[in-house]
Amino acid sequence: MLNGIKLKEYARTNGVSSQELAEMVRIGGRTEKQALAAVKNWQNCLYKPMPTSEDIEALARGLHVSVNAISQWSSRHKYAPTSPTKARLVARLIAGRTAQDALDTLKFTPKRSAEMVRKVLETAISNADEQEADVERLYVSEARIDGAGRRIGTKGWIAKDRGRAHPIRKQASHIIVTVAEN
């Protein structure tokens, strides 16, 4: 996937305007106006329309960098059986660290959600490895935990004394980890 921040940074350092980048990604039947809008969205980290692999290769050729230099790889675990508040404590530990350092930190973190975050991080690293990225230079660019509502399979209420009912608040979360190359 395209990393919008690095795209903007490389375009500024190489002196390439958005108009020139739009000319490079006009493949696929885009008009000049659509291509310019797409490039500006990608530079602002809005991925509508979603960049294809041909778009990323064309941008890399135009900026004179490798494809991996402007790419990022992510992985997610949807409806993880842990509350978002508890999982965010673990996610804050690894954000911004190198991938190997983050794995070591998660291995020795005594939290239940650390194992789930570690598996998602390993999947993101293997996604990068499949695209022939340098695994030694990877760092965690984003570790995000989103709320997913009530955990699947839990009832909404539990019966209590004298006909009362108390709510069950077992929460689920979506774990998203993104890695990029330095």
Side-chain angles (χ1 to χ4, degrees):
M1 183 176 183
L2 184 66
N3 189 339
I5 297 169
K6 286 189 176 185
L7 174 67
K8 195 174 201 176
E9 179 183 320
Y10 279 119
R12 187 175 9 125
T13 57
N14 293 344
V16 180
S17 68
S18 298
Q19 188 68 35
E20 294 173 76
L21 290 175
E23 288 296 322
M24 296 170 203
V25 296
R26 284 194 56 192
I27 56 177
R30 288 191 184 110
T31 65
E32 185 177 335
K33 187 176 179 180
Q34 290 173 335
L36 183 61
V39 168
K40 286 184 178 181
N41 281 346
W42 297 338
Q43 286 179 334
N44 292 326
C45 299
L46 301 171
Y47 300 109
K48 299 236 179 189
M50 193 70 157
T52 63
S53 58
E54 292 86 17
D55 293 332
I56 297 172
E57 289 170 6
L59 290 169
R61 274 195 310 272
L63 294 171
H64 308 294
V65 295
S66 69
V67 173
N68 291 337
I70 59 172
S71 295
Q72 63 184 7
W73 301 270
S74 65
S75 180
R76 67 185 60 209
H77 181 185
K78 296 184 94 173
Y79 300 102
T82 183
S83 74
T85 308
K86 293 178 181 178
R88 282 186 191 114
L89 294 172
V90 175
R92 286 186 192 121
L93 287 174
I94 65 167
R97 293 186 179 215
T98 64
Q100 188 59 46
D101 189 26
L103 284 173
D104 293 341
T105 302
L106 290 172
K107 186 176 181 181
F108 296 107
T109 302
K111 298 273 188 193
R112 180 174 171 240
S113 59
E115 182 67 20
M116 292 178 241
V117 174
R118 185 183 63 79
K119 287 181 181 180
V120 174
L121 176 61
E122 286 176 348
T123 305
I125 292 170
S126 67
N127 289 344
D129 192 29
E130 283 182 16
Q131 300 296 322
E132 299 174 1
D134 187 9
V135 178
E136 300 297 321
R137 295 181 56 211
L138 291 177
Y139 72 98
V140 180
S141 62
E142 179 186 30
R144 191 175 83 222
I145 310 293
D146 294 337
R150 193 166 18 120
R151 206 180 300 170
I152 296 173
T154 59
K155 295 180 181 178
W157 303 93
I158 188 167
K160 290 293 182 176
D161 57 342
R162 291 187 276 173
R164 295 181 188 163
H166 288 189
I168 296 176
R169 293 190 184 100
K170 290 189 175 182
Q171 296 292 309
S173 56
H174 298 313
I175 302 170
I176 298 115
V177 177
T178 305
V179 295
E181 268 190 23
N182 283 347

